[in-house]
Amino acid sequence: MAVTLQGLATAVPPTVLIQNEVRDVFAAQPGLSRLAQRIIQTSFDVSAIETRYTTLSELSNTPRTAEDGPPVFFDLATGELLLPGTKARNEIYAEQATALYVEAGRAAIDACPAIDPADVTHVVTVSCTGFYAPGPDFMIARDLGLDPGVQRYHLGFMGCYAAMPALRLAKQLCEADPAAVVLVVSVELCTLHLRSSNDPDTIVASSLFADGAGAGIVTARPPAPGERAFVLDGFESRTTPVGEGDMAWKIGDHGFEMVLSNSVPALIDEYITGALEPLFAAEAPLAAALEAGTAGEAVAHWAIHPGGRSILDKVESRLALGESQLVPSRAVLRDFGNMSSATVLFVLREILRSDAAASGDRVAAMAFGPGLTVESALMTVSG
């Protein structure tokens, strides 16, 4: 029984951040040390990001009106980044994330000609950038008019890799019930937690993270004729023996606090081959190619979570991938930044829409997060 990922859809909020303009705002904040100013300049300039999206309309260059009230995150008149508390940030998350969950979920259903909202049996939502209850799984079911008995699950606070276990859970649900239709939706509003700081980890996070949503339908129902999809062949999860303190996500008094050390690319470089071994082990040709250092020849397409430019560089070098094989990941990083768990869904959609992806092509997907955790999947292009 083939379980497929269909109807891949993405959504972003309307406010665009131009990377060099954001850099200049962060560099001009009061209280920065000279070292912090140098780190800001370097982090933003080498990020390989040109644009990102944010749910915070205050970060645009549009002057506020009296009806808007006082600024909460950014005072355009003074150019100063403000420091709202976690409660204020999370209240915006509850409002703005709900809209993106519903938008992306509706788009995924609409993209599947043979599936209606009434067909959805399960909803799996993903996020690490906010909390509320009733949660996004409830809001999707309510606003999309899903069956009152739809089963709902939320994977929270797992980090950038979380869309992968969500897809794996969806596949398992479909294997247990061949009639299942699982709507998976990931929404991350990372920019709610950006702030001025002298801390290098916080500066790097401010140069990378963005807002976005990704969604798809996982089901054993065959795609409609002519519809492109991914057959979900298998998943694996591995944690590295070191690096637990190098990537973390904690709740602070002024938003969530990211730990993202400069050791992460080196850790991925050291352990990525070992993390792929269990995924490729079930298929002898793939296992042999990985051992021989020719994985890039055995698998046509690579959906690598673009956690940052240096991470993509390390993956490309260690696995001896061709430059073209990371074009989708680098394009998503350039145009959207790092949207945490939603990002790999953007990369998969980029691959599926590409003329380079033919029916029967194999795809390896990987995402990284706290632990250090490496989640991977093998897929096959269908249609």
Side-chain angles (χ1 to χ4, degrees):
M1 179 180 66
V3 176
T4 60
L5 171 60
Q6 307 174 17
L8 269 172
T10 60
V12 292
T15 301
V16 182
L17 298 177
I18 308 301
Q19 185 75 338
N20 59 0
E21 294 178 0
V22 180
R23 175 202 63 205
D24 294 344
V25 168
F26 272 84
Q29 295 307 300
L32 291 176
S33 67
R34 290 184 178 179
L35 175 59
Q37 290 176 327
R38 290 198 297 270
I39 294 173
I40 289 170
Q41 187 76 34
T42 301
S43 296
F44 279 78
D45 287 352
V46 305
S47 67
I49 296 171
E50 295 179 6
T51 55
R52 294 181 275 169
Y53 290 82
T54 178
T55 194
L56 298 171
S57 58
E58 287 183 9
L59 298 181
S60 71
N61 290 322
T62 303
R64 296 178 68 81
T65 66
E67 295 178 354
D68 294 327
V72 178
F73 283 84
F74 179 61
D75 188 341
L76 181 62
T78 65
E80 185 173 353
L81 290 165
L82 308 178
L83 199 61
T86 301
K87 181 177 186 292
R89 297 173 193 259
N90 198 66
E91 286 177 346
I92 295 174
Y93 174 88
E95 176 186 352
Q96 299 295 327
T98 295
L100 279 177
Y101 273 111
V102 172
E103 179 184 351
R106 179 178 287 114
I109 295 173
D110 289 346
C112 296
I115 292 174
D116 295 320
D119 297 325
V120 176
T121 59
H122 301 74
V123 174
V124 180
T125 54
V126 181
S127 189
C128 68
T129 47
F131 298 96
Y132 61 102
D137 51 307
F138 174 88
M139 300 302 177
I140 287 173
R142 182 196 68 186
D143 292 355
L144 295 185
L146 305 186
D147 187 277
V150 67
Q151 297 183 39
R152 312 189 320 264
Y153 305 89
H154 180 69
L155 302 186
F157 222 66
M158 298 178 75
C160 294
Y161 64 81
M164 302 290 279
L167 293 176
R168 181 175 64 232
L169 171 61
K171 180 176 188 285
Q172 291 167 342
L173 291 169
C174 293
E175 289 170 337
D177 177 6
V181 176
V182 187
L183 173 61
V184 177
V185 188
S186 169
V187 172
E188 302 288 11
L189 303 186
C190 304
T191 64
L192 289 177
H193 305 290
L194 303 185
R195 65 181 68 81
S196 177
S197 175
N198 285 306
D199 177 66
D201 287 345
T202 303
I203 292 171
V204 171
S206 297
S207 73
L208 291 174
F209 284 97
D211 301 347
I217 297 289
V218 177
T219 182
R221 294 187 182 187
E227 183 182 357
R228 303 259 283 173
F230 289 114
V231 178
L232 300 178
D233 299 319
F235 293 84
E236 288 291 343
S237 178
R238 286 294 183 272
T239 54
T240 61
V242 295
E244 184 175 337
D246 290 290
M247 189 183 293
W249 192 225
K250 302 176 181 179
I251 299 177
D253 292 335
H254 297 283
F256 299 171
E257 299 171 353
M258 168 62 75
V259 175
L260 189 64
S261 83
N262 57 14
S263 300
V264 170
L267 289 169
I268 291 173
D269 180 50
E270 183 174 357
Y271 293 106
I272 189 171
T273 302
L276 279 174
E277 285 175 355
L279 182 70
F280 284 12
E283 301 186 32
L286 296 184
L290 183 65
E291 185 176 359
T294 57
E297 298 175 14
V299 177
H301 309 283
W302 292 76
I304 306 299
H305 167 66
R309 192 217 69 215
S310 56
I311 289 175
L312 294 179
D313 290 346
K314 291 293 187 182
V315 171
E316 181 177 340
S317 174
R318 174 60 64 183
L319 298 178
L321 302 183
E323 186 176 336
S324 63
Q325 290 175 299
L326 282 184
V327 165
S329 292
R330 294 192 191 276
V332 169
L333 181 64
R334 180 193 66 228
D335 296 338
F336 298 98
N338 182 343
M339 299 164 286
S340 191
S341 67
T343 320
V344 73
L345 299 176
F346 277 69
V347 179
L348 287 168
R349 184 169 183 262
E350 193 84 8
I351 291 172
L352 202 60
R353 296 172 66 189
S354 168
D355 292 337
S359 184
D361 282 358
R362 303 304 298 278
V363 179
M366 300 189 76
F368 320 100
L372 185 71
T373 302
V374 181
E375 292 280 349
S376 58
L378 271 175
M379 307 179 186
T380 302
V381 176
S382 172

